[in-house]
Amino acid sequence: MSDRSTRGELVGDADASASSQPPETIAVIIPTALQKGRDGRPLVAACLQSLVPAAESPDERASDGGPRVREIVLVTQGRLFEGPVVARLASAGVYVRQLDVLGPFNFSTKINGGVAVASADADFLLNDDAVMRGAEWPSVFLGILADPTVGAVGPVIFNPDESLNAAGDTQSADGVRHIDGFDARYRPGLAEIIARDHDVSLLTGAALVIPASAFRSVGAFDEAYPSALGDTDFCLRLRATGRRLVCTPRVAVVHAEASTRDPKIPAATVRT
């Protein structure tokens, strides 16, 4: 790992009430191997471009006048990303850091590395093949996290064809699965529930916002889960502390799920 932590250890150095102040700033943590899309550009370019509206919005400023999206950590693997969007984000006051984590791809390791060097009040874990919609998502996320009972918040996620991908996740004897468009159509009353902020059993790590204090108190992602179920394990540990998980339809993300997965990893083992 080519950068150093500004937070120190990620395990057990803060309790559930460690931060009495509501979070004001967000660090976006994006693990990426710089895979290219159909247009020949790295998929992460579109992801970064979708962060620009929030970075430049005069309505999305913290109390110190800086952007609520305070920093972006690109966790790469042997290569650096170069593109004009980096300069545009920097001109808006967003610090873009690139952290090189070598070795076999491990989503949990990349998340832990990115969180360790971030210094904002909340960490937004975001897949590189995900695209944010709109500019108001920082204030929505931070407003929800101002409630100290909330341990994490996630957006409603859509597929590229505009169908519902996930409005949170659920766990049963059959395993973990997204609450998707099929559920919304055929489970009585569910469409009304997911049309407003709602508590869920689990959230996907493809787009997950966690207060920095909560991340430290619960501990890092378990690196025994290199590509799947690390987010599930983490959410279960959050819930074990009494914290709630909230999914909000006031923020939308388009996610080409698993489009950047290493082809050597079986699809059946990958969720995020």
Side-chain angles (χ1 to χ4, degrees), residues 3 38 40 47 58 70 81 96 104-105 109 131 140 151 171 180 239:
D3 210 328
R38 293 179 179 177
C47 178
R70 191 55 52 95
F81 173 76
V96 181
F105 184 90
T109 299
V131 174
V140 174
Q171 186 179 30
D180 59 16
R239 287 181 56 204

Side-chain angles (χ1 to χ4, degrees), residues 135-218:
E136 69 285 349
W137 55 267
S139 58
V140 174
F141 284 150
L142 292 169
I144 292 170
L145 292 178
D147 182 343
T149 69
V150 177
V153 59
V156 167
I157 300 175
F158 293 90
N159 296 309
D161 66 1
E162 301 297 325
S163 61
L164 178 62
N165 176 282
D169 285 5
T170 186
Q171 186 179 30
S172 69
D174 297 325
V176 177
R177 60 184 299 275
H178 295 326
I179 301 171
D180 59 16
F182 180 89
D183 296 309
R185 286 192 301 272
Y186 296 108
R187 288 177 58 184
L190 183 62
E192 290 76 15
I193 292 173
I194 65 177
R196 58 181 184 269
D197 293 357
H198 54 282
D199 285 18
V200 293
S201 299
L202 300 165
L203 289 163
T204 173
L208 177 65
V209 190
I210 309 157
S213 58
F215 199 106
R216 292 197 303 272
S217 69
V218 172

